[in-house]
Amino acid sequence: MPPAISVERMTLAYGDTVIQRDLTFEVETGEVCVIVGGSGCGKSTLLRNMLGLAEPAAGSVHFHGDNFTAADRQQRLRMRLNWGVTFQQGGLISAMTLAENLSLPLELYTPLSKRERAAMIDYKLSLVGLGGYEAYYPAEISGGMRKRAALARALMLDPQLLFFDEPSAGLDPVVSAELDELILRIRDAMEVTIVVVTH
């Protein structure tokens, strides 16, 4: 079996400014890969290039043996449906309740009925310790809870791969440690491969 993720000789650059050169590494299925480094070293840039939000100056990334970098738009969309991504600020839509935020990927990419979507939302919120918060808006809950809600949304399509960009940014050490433990529990329960970018 090919690795879950394979980065091959990837060079990251902004114009003529090279950030990182010839990065090569693999992440095996079920592993947690943590990309650590100081501010400005290219961690988030690497993640953006891996996810196709930016294009590498050279090299490629493969997911389960499939070349994502060389794939066309439709092929990339099919690969992305196997991913869950959380961003530094959570990325929740402030004008929507948690239930509405979590419902979005289900409405866009599944044929589930409203009742089936509600059951899935209840389950995923319970999985991250937010059962009963469906009707809350992001502004009505704490920063740590918003991070967990973003994780629940990332899990809605039962992804094979989870990507976290600075998951503990802005959290106190206790809440940060709790989030780390939750990520590991999710990895074990759902058998996902995880990439974490953190300082």
Side-chain angles (χ1 to χ4, degrees):
M1 291 290 291
I5 304 169
S6 177
V7 172
E8 299 180 359
R9 300 185 63 82
M10 186 178 282
T11 295
L12 316 174
Y14 291 108
D16 295 331
T17 305
V18 174
I19 309 300
Q20 296 283 348
R21 189 186 306 277
D22 291 334
L23 293 173
T24 297
F25 62 91
E26 294 181 347
V27 183
E28 297 296 334
T29 300
E31 283 188 341
V32 176
C33 172
V34 182
I35 300 168
V36 182
S39 179
C41 73
K43 305 182 303 296
S44 292
T45 300
L46 171 59
L47 187 62
R48 287 175 54 79
N49 278 260
M50 289 172 66
L51 298 177
L53 301 175
E55 295 301 318
S60 61
V61 59
H62 297 71
F63 296 102
H64 299 288
D66 296 322
N67 189 332
F68 178 78
T69 309
D72 63 29
R73 188 169 179 271
Q74 283 302 113
Q75 291 169 325
R76 285 189 172 197
L77 176 58
R78 283 195 294 272
M79 289 187 217
R80 283 179 171 139
L81 290 177
N82 291 315
W83 306 350
V85 182
T86 70
F87 299 97
Q88 286 190 32
Q89 305 304 320
L92 297 172
I93 298 171
S94 61
M96 291 182 168
T97 65
L98 298 190
E100 290 168 338
N101 268 280
L102 269 62
S103 184
L104 273 178
L106 298 179
E107 292 175 30
L108 290 171
Y109 300 114
T110 76
L112 295 177
S113 68
K114 186 174 182 180
R115 178 177 291 182
E116 290 169 326
R117 292 198 302 270
M120 182 74 77
I121 290 164
D122 288 345
Y123 170 65
K124 293 297 168 66
L125 282 175
S126 295
L127 197 62
V128 300
L130 291 176
Y133 282 85
E134 293 83 358
Y136 282 69
Y137 287 88
E140 296 176 323
I141 58 177
S142 69
M145 295 168 77
R146 284 194 293 273
K147 298 274 189 175
R148 286 188 276 147
L151 172 55
R153 186 179 61 184
L155 295 172
M156 290 309 294
L157 297 178
D158 294 326
Q160 297 175 333
L161 303 169
L162 272 177
F163 298 90
F164 294 88
D165 188 7
E166 298 282 5
S168 58
L171 302 181
D172 66 55
V174 173
V175 175
S176 178
E178 290 173 351
L179 184 61
D180 289 345
E181 291 173 6
L182 174 61
I183 290 170
L184 291 176
R185 288 200 303 272
I186 295 293
R187 187 273 311 266
D188 294 339
M190 300 188 68
E191 299 180 348
V192 293
T193 303
I194 295 177
V195 176
V196 181
V197 165
T198 181
H199 62 281

